[in-house]
Amino acid sequence: MTHASSSDPAPLTVIDPGLVFARRETGDLLLDLYRPASADHPVPIVLWVHGGGWYTGDRTQAPDLTDRVRATGCAFASIDYRLSGQARFPAQLHDVRAAIRFLRAHAGEYGIDPRAVGVWGGSAGGHLAALAGLTGHLGALPGEQDTDGDPSVRAVVASYAPVDLAAVVAEARAGRPDADAASSPEGRLLGGAPAEVPAAARYACPLTWVHADAPPFQLSHGTSDALVRHTQSELLHDALAAAGASSELYLLDGFGHGFLNRDGGLDGQAAAVMDDGRLEREGTAEAVRRRAPGPDLAVGVAPAPARAQADPQAHADAQADAHAHAHTDTHADADGERTTFGFATVDDFLRRRLTEPGRDTPEFGR
C-alpha cells in the first residue's frame, strides 16, 4: 500500500512499505521506500542499512527518512537483511546487493534514477554499506543467489562501522578477558571467533576490498564510542586515501555509539554506551574533518570499473602489492580541520555525489 506522509505542507513523501525485494528460505526480505511525491523527474535513491550487531534489528530502525527525503530530494529505502541467527556472512552482504539490484530493476516504476544509487548505514549497517560500496564493481560474489543486474553504488555513507572485526573483538576482550569471542556479535556473524576463522574475517573486512575506483565515502564516528572505537573508521579512511579513492572522515567530539538512531528510550547498561537520539536532539556536533580527495571525477561520470576479483585473498594480495608500490603522497589531510557534523552534512554529501547536471531534461534517468 502506498501512502503520503508529511508534517510540512510540501513536499509530500510517498511511502511504499513492505516491498519484497528478495525471497530466501528464512522468509521474504522487505524494504520500505520513501520518495518525494512532487518529483517530475527520476530521483536518486539511497539505501539505509540498519545496525544491531548483525543479530538484531530491522528496517524500522532508521533515522527519520521523511526528513531526509525533504532535505535532499532523493528517495530512500530502508531494507531488511538476514540476521546472523538466520545465516552466516556473507549472506548479509548478498542481501544488500540484492536490494540494490531490485531498486535498479524497478527504477521506472518508482521514479528512481538507476544511475544514482547510494548506500548509508550505521554500526553493523555501516559495515555492510562499506562492503556493498567496495564490491559493487563485482558482478557476482561466491555463493550469491541474485546475480542479474548492476550492484554498484555511486556514494557510501558509513557511521561508527566496525571494519577490522578481529581487532574489534580483541579490543573488547582486553577489557573483559573472560569474554567468549565466538559469542561476540562478530563471532556470531562469522561462525567463530574472528581470529579462528581468518578467511571469513578477511572476507568480511572492508579493508580487503579497498581499491582506487571505489565510490566516494563519507565516514563518521564518535571519539567516545565504547562499542566500536573511532580508530576503526580511521583505518578505512586511511586505506581509501592510500588507494587514491575519495573519503571524508568526521570524528565527533565526545559522541558515543548510535548517534544517528532515533531516541529509543534505552535505559540501564545500554543507555550508558549508546547515544541514541543525540544528533537529532543537538542538531550538530563539534568535529574534526579529514579528507582524501581521490581522483578528479566529474559529477555524473561513473568511475572506470576496477578489475573484477571476487576472491578475497587474491584481492587482498593485489591491494597489498598496490599499496607497497604506491607513491607515499596520498594528498590526504592527515591532521584534519575543525568543523561541525549533523544530518545536513550527510544530506550535502549525498546531493553532491548523486545529483547529476541535466536531471530536469527528458533524457535524465533513461
Side-chain angles (χ1 to χ4, degrees):
M1 178 183 295
T2 298
H3 62 274
S5 172
S6 178
S7 58
D8 299 320
L12 291 173
T13 300
V14 174
I15 304 175
D16 301 287
L19 301 178
V20 177
F21 70 85
R23 300 189 184 277
R24 302 288 189 254
E25 292 182 0
T26 53
D28 291 346
L29 295 176
L30 308 180
L31 64 80
D32 296 337
L33 181 61
Y34 301 74
R35 52 197 174 96
S38 58
D40 57 0
H41 50 69
V43 299
I45 176 73
V46 180
L47 285 77
W48 166 259
V49 189
H50 70 82
W54 307 278
Y55 68 89
T56 189
D58 60 34
R59 68 188 188 280
T60 65
Q61 294 179 225
D64 189 334
L65 297 182
T66 58
D67 280 354
R68 306 280 65 78
V69 171
R70 290 193 289 268
T72 64
C74 299
F76 285 77
S78 187
I79 70 169
D80 284 332
Y81 55 86
R82 284 171 289 176
L83 302 176
S84 58
Q86 299 173 301
R88 293 178 182 173
F89 186 84
Q92 297 74 21
L93 173 57
H94 293 173
D95 294 344
V96 177
R97 286 163 55 94
I100 296 168
R101 297 180 200 268
F102 171 87
L103 289 165
R104 272 210 172 89
H106 294 271
E109 180 179 352
Y110 295 111
I112 294 167
D113 178 5
R115 300 173 300 169
V117 180
V119 62
W120 177 26
S123 194
H127 164 261
L128 295 174
L131 284 171
L134 292 168
T135 62
H137 63 296
L138 302 172
L141 298 174
E144 193 169 17
Q145 293 177 245
D146 313 282
T147 57
D148 291 336
D150 179 4
S152 68
V153 301
R154 288 223 338 244
V156 178
V157 180
S159 296
Y160 38 89
V163 173
D164 183 337
L165 304 191
V168 171
V169 171
E171 290 165 358
R173 293 192 71 193
R176 295 180 54 201
D178 59 337
D180 179 12
S183 298
S184 67
E186 295 77 14
R188 294 161 70 174
L189 177 71
L190 301 178
E196 297 174 1
V197 286
R202 185 166 51 246
Y203 196 143
C205 179
L207 301 178
T208 299
W209 303 100
V210 168
H211 56 93
D213 293 314
F217 272 67
Q218 182 190 85
L219 307 172
S220 57
H221 216 124
T223 60
S224 295
D225 195 325
L227 294 182
V228 180
R229 293 178 59 186
H230 67 271
T231 52
Q232 289 289 304
S233 287
E234 290 181 305
L235 282 174
L236 182 52
H237 173 77
D238 291 344
L240 289 163
S246 175
S247 175
E248 54 187 55
L249 168 65
Y250 292 82
L251 298 176
L252 282 61
D253 295 351
F255 270 61
H257 202 73
F259 55 77
L260 291 178
N261 299 342
R262 297 190 193 189
D263 195 340
L266 293 173
D267 54 19
Q269 184 178 4
V273 295
M274 295 294 290
D275 252 348
D276 282 10
R278 182 174 176 184
L279 190 62
E280 187 174 27
R281 288 193 306 271
E282 298 186 8
T284 59
E286 294 295 320
V288 170
R289 177 176 59 196
R290 293 169 53 192
R291 292 186 287 186
D296 184 18
L297 294 177
V299 173
V301 179
R307 289 179 295 174
Q309 178 53 267
D311 176 63
Q313 182 58 60
H315 200 285
D317 292 344
Q319 291 310 113
D321 182 68
H323 292 169
H325 292 87
H327 193 281
T328 56
D329 180 10
T330 62
H331 303 288
D333 182 358
D335 296 329
E337 59 184 344
R338 298 299 305 179
T339 186
T340 58
F341 180 90
F343 280 108
T345 314
V346 177
D347 298 338
D348 177 69
F349 175 82
L350 292 172
R351 282 194 301 265
R352 284 188 287 116
R353 296 302 184 175
L354 297 180
T355 301
E356 297 183 341
R359 58 183 289 174
D360 56 345
T361 65
E363 293 77 20
F364 183 78
R366 289 187 180 177

